[in-house]
Amino acid sequence: MGAGAGKTRRMPRAVRERQMLDAAVRTFARLGYRAASMDGIAELAGVSKPLVYLYLHSKEDLFTAVIRREARALVDAVRAGVEPSLPADAQLWAGLRAFFTHTAEHPDGWAVLHHQARTHGEPFAAEVAAMREEIVAFVTALIGAAAREAHGTPDLPARDVAGLAQALVGAAESLAGWANETEGVSAKEAAATLMNFAWAGLGNLMRGERWAAGR
Amino acid sequence: MGAGAGKTRRMPRAVRERQMLDAAVRTFARLGYRAASMDGIAELAGVSKPLVYLYLHSKEDLFTAVIRREARALVDAVRAGVEPSLPADAQLWAGLRAFFTHTAEHPDGWAVLHHQARTHGEPFAAEVAAMREEIVAFVTALIGAAAREAHGTPDLPARDVAGLAQALVGAAESLAGWANETEGVSAKEAAATLMNFAWAGLGNLMRGERWAAGR
Amino acid sequence: MGAGAGKTRRMPRAVRERQMLDAAVRTFARLGYRAASMDGIAELAGVSKPLVYLYLHSKEDLFTAVIRREARALVDAVRAGVEPSLPADAQLWAGLRAFFTHTAEHPDGWAVLHHQARTHGEPFAAEVAAMREEIVAFVTALIGAAAREAHGTPDLPARDVAGLAQALVGAAESLAGWANETEGVSAKEAAATLMNFAWAGLGNLMRGERWAAGR
Amino acid sequence: MGAGAGKTRRMPRAVRERQMLDAAVRTFARLGYRAASMDGIAELAGVSKPLVYLYLHSKEDLFTAVIRREARALVDAVRAGVEPSLPADAQLWAGLRAFFTHTAEHPDGWAVLHHQARTHGEPFAAEVAAMREEIVAFVTALIGAAAREAHGTPDLPARDVAGLAQALVGAAESLAGWANETEGVSAKEAAATLMNFAWAGLGNLMRGERWAAGR
DNA sequence: CATGAATGAGACTTCATTCAT
DNA sequence: AATGAATGAAGTCTCATTCAT
């Protein structure tokens, strides 16, 4: 018998736990919370169902653990991509690239966060909402900084900035899906599209130019 | 026995069917496809379960019927809000207002389309994707028209326009949620925010101005 | 095909419900609450498991329904056997005979009440305790009445009477088991044994005679 | 590495075994055989589950061991309380006091014997039945001795004596519960109540006096 | 002496769906 | 036009029990 062949057994808890979470992300992403079965997840993870329960306690806990892990990974990736000493526009650009890169590399994690977690009741939605708030706040801060840096305009109406940030994040979410699904659209390209879009809107906002019906 | 007394209410099929669809929209929106039960829907509709099966055939068919009805209603609302003889920017403005108004007035329908239908497997996602394509195509056409009207620039790269449209629709979806959940943000205000955002980005695009790192 | 052959199907709810309760009494009596399985009960009742759940809602509810039905039947049997216009001793005699007869005829019901219901947590034990209190109160009243009728001694200490009633009921419960398990011991005989035992103790009590160590 | 430090406590087998049995008595008394889990017992005993299996082999064996230990303790307590050279009535009195004292001091053990062991199938019930037979035989012998001593009446019908003993033991069991649960009822008091009750019944029996309906 | 890692089997419960009236 | 009666299939979760160290 070759070395290490056969069914690998007896692994440290931390390793097994990661395998389970990996299987769960994939399953939840593809089927949704309800349609995913603990049986299926256990099988995909290569362990028996009781072990999943022993380590993750319940389907709800498992889903929560998945959401937390993926949310943390995404937020960390974006933060890690940003150099706080750079100008705001460069930070935004870096953040967008990190965001699109991460979502492209972890499509299942992104699907869980964007689609599944938000459609299955308060407890899970709240978890994701917290992460989204974190990102929206980050973007909001950048927009404020950009305004100050570029034009010395410290007094953009908060409501407008919030709306802009919401639109920006929503656009990013939508483009992440588009880039994942459309052949040949790279993370960089998606980031560029959005950056142009955003920067122009921001410039307008700061110049006080608004679109006006009839004009 | 008097006429029409007792508990049994004989109603024409069309009416009954609408009651069932109404109950289904509400239930699917709140619970999701899997967690919604035919029992619950039948009860909410005030009919017995076999009747639901008689008219709608299966849970899958029922969900599909719901998606189709709500998608049709949304598309129709947007189309009805737009006057094709107006300039492209006015059309876009009108379309956005119609979109935000309709989603605000039909939150359950919107939740089914935006959240639920996309998270429960191909058959349903495809149904919604078709509608989304219709709207994206509509927006894309408007952008093209706007480019021609305003700047005589008929040759925007198709890929850029598609990206822009994706971003725009995503931003609209995000803002719809924001407007629904944030105290005091009206449909009109959301539409204005987005219009500013979009029009500026569009202008940039048409002028060939791009954001450039380091510059 | 003969009439009524084949698997009997489609029965009115009340009938099915009784069949299920009958199966449940038998199963719970033999196996206890935890060891009894809903599968087994459904099979014994000749129905599918979902039907049991449709009508009885849960294992806990089913057990409670069983306890209530059997407790009610026992109390009713005892009450029905007693003629309130008779002297207290005759009433006691009649009550004991009814008790032993009923427990002999419904050994499973008696086992559920006496053994199973008391060993599976508060909710069930409370149900039975209430019934037992009813019987103890009834016996206590009879003892008081007997004291007044026979000896004009209205002032037996309450604590003594309560202890006597407890002992009497306990003895009856024990004898019911004995009579059920011992070949050839009839309900009447058990009742007679206990009646002698009780009546003598009662007489002693009323005459103020006590057993005293060393005398 | 120093000797015996750290968390591991090496203890002689006998000690560990007693800890396990103690945990088991408590757990079985509170939850019943089925609802008690080996996990819970191991945890309460402060050992790992495999050790429980190493020493006690299986849940069934563990329960049996518990029953045997508690039954032996109860029988021993009663026997130890009795001085065989005394008159029968004094022996009975001493036995009753020992019984009520022991059950009051070991409520979990008593609950296992009285409630749990009898409700979970033949193997366990038989174990307890044997102990009960031992006590009933002991009481039966005392009653016979009392009859001879007091009245020189050696010929009480065996059936009557058996019934009396059954009633007496049942009453004792019932009173043990009552004394445990009722504020301020001591073991001694319970024993006195029962002694009065029993002695009177016994006297009646020996005098050939019977309660007769209508007389 | 002692345990962390692991599982086969079975429990309760729910649901989409149909049949006979 | 409408429903009370009924079920096959599947899902979450727990438990007694065993290896390998």
Side-chain angles (χ1 to χ4, degrees), chain D residues 36 38 49 53 59:
Chain D
M38 296 297 271
K49 231 185 331 176
Y53 278 89
K59 193 182 189 183

Side-chain angles (χ1 to χ4, degrees), chain B residues 9-206:
Chain B
R9 304 267 220 87
R10 301 284 178 127
M11 310 189 47
R13 172 161 179 160
V15 177
R16 276 278 190 248
E17 227 172 278
R18 192 150 61 73
Q19 292 176 337
M20 292 176 197
L21 288 176
D22 288 345
V25 175
R26 192 164 159 150
T27 305
F28 285 134
R30 280 159 171 65
L31 302 179
Y33 177 64
R34 292 290 297 232
S37 85
M38 296 296 272
D39 265 295
I41 292 170
E43 187 177 13
L44 186 59
V47 294
S48 74
K49 230 184 330 174
L51 200 57
V52 178
Y53 278 88
L54 187 61
Y55 287 174
L56 279 313
H57 315 315
S58 76
K59 194 185 188 182
E60 211 168 314
D61 282 8
L62 173 56
F63 194 42
T64 303
V66 162
I67 293 173
R68 289 217 176 111
R69 189 180 79 164
E70 297 304 316
R72 187 51 37 213
L74 176 54
V75 169
D76 286 354
V78 172
R79 286 207 183 285
V82 170
E83 177 56 64
S85 61
L86 293 181
D89 66 334
Q91 283 190 48
L92 190 55
W93 168 245
L96 287 173
R97 287 204 55 183
F99 174 82
F100 285 112
T101 303
H102 185 88
T103 54
E105 283 172 354
H106 302 84
D108 287 336
W110 172 242
V112 166
L113 293 176
H114 184 42
H115 290 308
Q116 306 300 351
R118 309 173 85 173
T119 50
H120 294 289
E122 263 308 306
F124 310 132
E127 208 75 39
V128 160
M131 174 202 74
R132 207 175 194 262
E133 282 314 309
E134 203 172 331
I135 292 192
V136 169
F138 181 60
V139 171
T140 304
L142 282 185
I143 291 176
R148 273 187 302 285
E149 282 174 19
H151 304 270
T153 315
D155 54 350
L156 284 181
R159 166 70 60 83
D160 283 4
V161 173
L164 183 58
Q166 281 291 342
L168 188 52
V169 171
E173 289 167 348
S174 177
L175 283 170
W178 182 61
N180 272 353
E181 288 152 22
T182 305
E183 204 63 30
V185 174
S186 67
K188 186 173 176 182
E189 194 167 351
T193 295
L194 188 52
M195 192 68 199
N196 277 313
F197 197 29
W199 208 242
L202 186 55
N204 253 12
L205 201 61
M206 290 186 295

Side-chain angles (χ1 to χ4, degrees), chain D residues 88-141:
Chain D
D89 66 335
Q91 285 191 46
L92 188 56
W93 167 243
L96 286 174
R97 287 204 54 183
F99 173 82
F100 285 113
T101 302
H102 185 89
T103 54
E105 284 171 353
H106 302 84
D108 287 336
W110 172 241
V112 167
L113 294 177
H114 185 42
H115 290 309
Q116 306 300 351
R118 309 172 88 171
T119 49
H120 294 289
E122 263 307 308
F124 310 131
E127 208 75 37
V128 161
M131 175 202 74
R132 203 174 198 265
E133 282 315 308
E134 204 173 328
I135 293 192
V136 169
F138 180 62
V139 171
T140 304

Side-chain angles (χ1 to χ4, degrees), chain A residues 140-182:
Chain A
T140 303
L142 282 186
I143 291 176
R148 273 188 300 284
E149 283 173 19
H151 304 268
T153 314
D155 54 349
L156 286 181
R159 166 70 59 86
D160 285 1
V161 174
L164 182 57
Q166 281 290 342
L168 186 53
V169 171
E173 290 167 348
S174 177
L175 282 171
W178 179 63
N180 272 354
E181 289 153 22
T182 306

